[in-house]
Amino acid sequence: MRIAVSLLLLTFMLISGCRISSNPVIDFDGPTAEWSSFGGNEQANRYSPLNQIDLNNVDQLTLAWSHNSGDFADGSGEWAFTSMQVTPIVTNNTLYYCTPFGRVFALDPISGEELWVFDPKVQNKKGGYYPAVCRGVSYWQAESASDQACSKRIVYGTRDAELIALDADSGKPCAGFGNQGRVALREGISQSEPWEYYPTSPPIVMNDTVVIGALVPDNNRTDAPSGVVRAFDIRSGSLRWAWEPVSENYKQRHRQTDGSVEYLQGTPNVWAPMSGDYQRGLIYVPTGNPSPDLYGGHRDGIDEFGSSVVALDITNGKRVWNFQTVHHDLWDYDVASQPVLFQLPGVAEGKAGVLQPTKMGHIFLLDRETGEPLYPVEERPVPQNGVPGEQLSATQPFPTHPKPLHLPAQLNHDNVSNIVWFDQQSCREELSKYRSEGLFTPPSFEGSVLYPSTVGGINWGSVSVDAENGLMFVNQMHMAAVVQMIKREEFDARNPQTKYPDEYFAMTGTPYGAKRFPLMSSLGTPCNPRPWGSFAAVDLKSGEVIWRVPLGTTRDLAPFPLWFNWGTPNIGGSVTTAGGLVFIGATADKYFRAFNTKTGEEVWKYRIPTTANANPLTYRINKDGKQYVVVAAGGHGWSKPGDWLLAFALPD
């Protein structure tokens, strides 16, 4: 009987795809590594040389510790809705992370024990249509660090639009920085509601300079707060330089002379994480759109640096070069991903490059010093005939290496979703109502299909790059939306309010309002073909996709037994390691996963309390210690909010 039960258990494990493993043998001879910045290192490539956790033992990975901050909200109380998108940093023998409420925690990275906590007492709690987020903090250490307070600093931005500097060892504000450790970022910015201007991504610190941008809401009004990028002295908090994402010609034509504001309104902003080339003294800035996003007939050249990656000189903020990923962007395809630095044998003749992912699924490989494409970029004709007053670009840039990753290029009668026949038929009927002419179909009165949608494609999670094997790992959301323009008189008379799934945008100062909504079937499922989320590996030498798999299942979105491996909407990025593994959460189901970097096989997954829509990290700080993989799980709209920081390691 005992033998029969054992055989039955063995059969079940084999059918289920379970691995049969003994206790793992932990290698303590391998490398150690911190996670010193949002992107992991100076290249921001989210690659770690750690290999203690590898393909042979990853199935034994287990929860080592967890931490809860208590800082989350569902919008029903005093606080706005939260999303825990933070990627902690691990340096100075400490793990540091921020919460959506702006609190900063310092933890022991081995045990998760709290060392200190700082609370800025943020007041900007309600308002706006974005969840409260803090994606991370940054670290600075003086060249001759001592026991003196604030010779090591944590710097970050808050929802109150303050730049704060803390002593990294004690968590106390650095008194000599600004006003008792705080710099007010709204100085020189136009008067606005508190929710219209504040940082969400960590600043970048280079030499003794800290550089920061800010979120500015899309599609609200033409005179939105400025998108200026500013640099401050890391010791005193004094302003070193400011760069407005517009040309000098535009400044001369539109400079306000009444002294009401210092910086021009409505300019493209920089809300996504920046990167830096410390050897060349350049920072790489991903820009957003001028306001509003969906109509540009009034822009008069304000979008020359919109939807671009721009290289700035760290010493003076002067523009060195820029490359525009979308001309006259009307689709909210702002550059949301952190630029990645690379220099790989066999890729662009080994030149130093910047890899810029985009929401369209385009990957642009650019020369780090000049911004020139390292492989041909083609200007291709795109659909025309926008609404009256619009000035469309006749062409848009398309990379050829790698080729565009988002498929199919156009939704039509034959490739809509086909779960069941009536579901497919409803999608065909819905699609027939709108313009669907492929990527860059302009917004219209009848409604235009936006595919990929505003959220991507690739979003702020960016990509990870295996620096040893020249592989790029990219997760994409495959969702279609519809954008419909509404004449001003009609929009104002209706005064429509956003209620899921319909979003309404006033776009005050333009002749139109706008409506945006997902393209769904009668079953409430996406009309575009599956997978609805994917994960892929791209060989940067050949430019070819070597594997692509669905990312996420319908579990937590559909009742049992309707759990299928169809991919899900996803947001958040990945981390790849020398152990042959790439880790990612991101999905709408409650799992944290690891994949084989060479094959795309899912080799491990762990059920977590809520979705992990944050970039993971990994570290091993002691030669006699373990490698840890950490991810924040705090939801993102499609799941309940939370405050879990989860650390995984091999068991003893």
Side-chain angles (χ1 to χ4, degrees), residues 606-622:
Y606 192 94
R607 185 78 170 155
I608 54 181
T610 188
T611 59
N613 302 110
N615 288 6
L617 66 146
T618 187
Y619 58 89
R620 179 177 174 234
I621 59 175
N622 299 317

Side-chain angles (χ1 to χ4, degrees), residues 129 218-221 292 294 444-445 483-499 502-517:
Y129 41 81
D218 304 329
N219 296 308
N220 193 32
R221 53 192 176 97
L294 303 176
S444 61
F445 293 133
V483 173
Q484 188 171 22
M485 305 297 280
I486 304 170
K487 293 180 180 179
R488 171 60 53 205
E489 298 80 7
E490 179 185 350
F491 188 93
D492 290 348
R494 289 170 53 190
N495 190 28
Q497 302 298 310
T498 291
K499 185 177 181 181
D502 297 333
E503 296 178 285
Y504 287 95
F505 305 105
M507 301 203 300
T508 303
T510 76
Y512 309 105
K515 176 184 179 182
R516 188 170 63 200
F517 54 94

